[in-house]
Amino acid sequence: MITGSLVALITPMMDDGSVDKSQLNELVEFHIAQGTHGIVAVGTTGESATLNYEEHADVIRQVVQLVKGRVPVIAGTGANSTHEAIDLTKRAKQAGADACLLVTPYYNKPTQEGMFLHFKAIAEAVDIPQILYNVPGRTACDMSNETVLRLSTIKNIVGLKDATGDVIRGQSLITAVSDQFAVYSGDDGTAVDLMIAGAQGNISVTANIAPKKVAQAAEYAMSNQPEKAKAIDAEITALHESLFVEANPIPVKWAAHKMGLCGEGIRLPLTPLSKEYRSQLEDAMSRSGIAI
């Protein structure tokens, strides 16, 4: 089972929007050195919505090659087309990813039965561990705990990234699923609380900027040291909030740029962080002990 702080890695880009492969290498090394427990390549934070098909597969392949087995790599391979999600998942398996992360089908708003059949079809088509991803705030599609429970009986569906921010709902699911099924937080602001309640890790945006503290908080939360986990998390609470003043990954890419981790490149329709929010994010970074 993959556990701990799993960074939802940004995809570094040049000023013209092309993928910066050299900087990607440096980002991978940075996270391993800082104690990040695993890397999620080309999730929402990695701008999966605007990378073309070949770029998507290529970034996954490059991250796997750079990591060299030192930490697990989870590939974002979800789509609102079942056929496309199957193909991306096959390519992630070929690249050597340890698992895949599959978001609920966005925009077309399937029924609960439609979501069940969608994920079942992907699991049956590609024999690789698969983690479901529920983020209704972005997809307009909310997968119920009941649907997750049905899917959890499929052997290679091994977990759920819960980005609802509803700890009580997440705790209810943790209680209901088997010990072989992992629930991960996908909401930095409530991640420590969910891990204290039994979640197996945090797929984190904040970890791009404060990897060591996010990893330490996860370690404490999952080893029955809640006060230590909360104390570390309190140091970066302002960062959790400020990294979402505009749509993710706009703020986190700007923050990473300020730290010298990547350039300013981001793809339309996303744009660099608005000037009105920059001082707020700089202040949050400073209060979190991040040098810029």
Side-chain angles (χ1 to χ4, degrees):
M1 183 180 288
I2 298 171
T3 62
S5 173
L6 313 171
V7 63
L9 191 69
I10 59 172
T11 300
M13 296 176 181
M14 310 290 278
D15 290 344
D16 64 0
S18 59
V19 175
D20 187 339
K21 294 183 178 181
S22 175
Q23 198 70 60
L24 183 59
N25 186 4
E26 293 184 21
L27 277 177
V28 167
E29 295 303 325
F30 169 72
H31 282 289
I32 291 174
Q34 291 289 309
T36 296
H37 303 116
I39 294 175
V40 178
V42 201
T44 306
T45 308
E47 293 179 78
S48 56
T50 52
L51 292 184
N52 69 38
Y53 202 72
E54 291 304 319
E55 289 172 325
H56 192 130
D58 189 54
V59 170
I60 291 168
R61 184 167 49 250
Q62 185 179 351
V63 170
V64 170
Q65 291 171 350
L66 292 169
V67 167
K68 298 177 182 177
R70 289 174 289 175
V71 297
V73 175
I74 302 170
T77 59
N80 62 348
S81 159
T82 306
H83 175 79
E84 182 179 337
I86 288 172
D87 199 30
L88 281 170
T89 304
K90 285 180 178 177
R91 296 183 72 163
K93 181 183 178 181
Q94 291 167 359
D98 296 283
C100 290
L101 179 67
L102 293 130
V103 70
T104 51
Y106 40 86
Y107 189 76
N108 46 16
K109 299 175 72 172
T111 63
Q112 295 298 315
E113 184 65 13
M115 282 185 276
F116 173 79
L117 293 173
H118 169 81
F119 288 117
K120 179 174 180 286
I122 302 165
E124 290 175 346
V126 193
D127 185 17
I128 187 172
Q130 296 177 22
I131 300 168
L132 312 172
Y133 177 16
N134 191 35
V135 56
R138 293 195 74 128
T139 62
C141 175
D142 189 0
M143 184 164 50
S144 69
N145 278 4
E146 290 74 17
T147 300
V148 176
L149 280 168
R150 291 177 68 195
L151 288 164
S152 72
T153 64
I154 298 171
K155 67 168 186 171
N156 57 325
I157 295 181
V158 300
L160 168 77
K161 176 183 176 182
D162 178 359
T164 64
D166 185 338
V167 176
I168 293 174
R169 173 176 170 171
Q171 188 172 11
S172 176
L173 182 63
I174 291 166
T175 302
V177 295
S178 75
D179 291 341
Q180 285 72 47
F181 187 88
V183 175
Y184 304 95
S185 174
D187 177 69
D188 278 302
T190 58
V192 163
D193 287 336
L194 193 61
M195 287 186 286
I196 290 169
Q200 295 299 320
N202 176 21
I203 298 178
S204 171
V205 175
T206 304
N208 281 283
I209 307 304
K212 185 173 289 187
K213 288 186 178 181
V214 174
Q216 289 173 336
E219 289 167 4
Y220 284 131
M222 293 188 298
S223 61
N224 198 29
Q225 300 181 74
E227 296 309 316
K228 288 184 177 180
K230 289 181 178 181
I232 291 176
D233 192 52
E235 297 175 9
I236 52 176
T237 295
L239 199 56
H240 297 329
E241 297 170 355
S242 295
L243 286 175
F244 292 90
V245 291
E246 289 187 322
N248 180 48
I250 289 173
V252 73
K253 288 200 86 172
W254 187 84
H257 166 64
K258 292 294 289 184
M259 293 172 66
L261 297 174
C262 66
E264 293 186 80
I266 193 167
R267 285 198 182 174
L268 289 170
L270 300 182
T271 53
L273 184 68
S274 299
K275 291 181 180 179
E276 64 189 282
Y277 295 119
R278 293 181 183 183
S279 61
Q280 176 184 338
L281 183 48
E282 285 182 343
D283 180 63
M285 293 169 72
S286 177
R287 283 190 283 155
S288 300
I290 296 169
I292 56 174

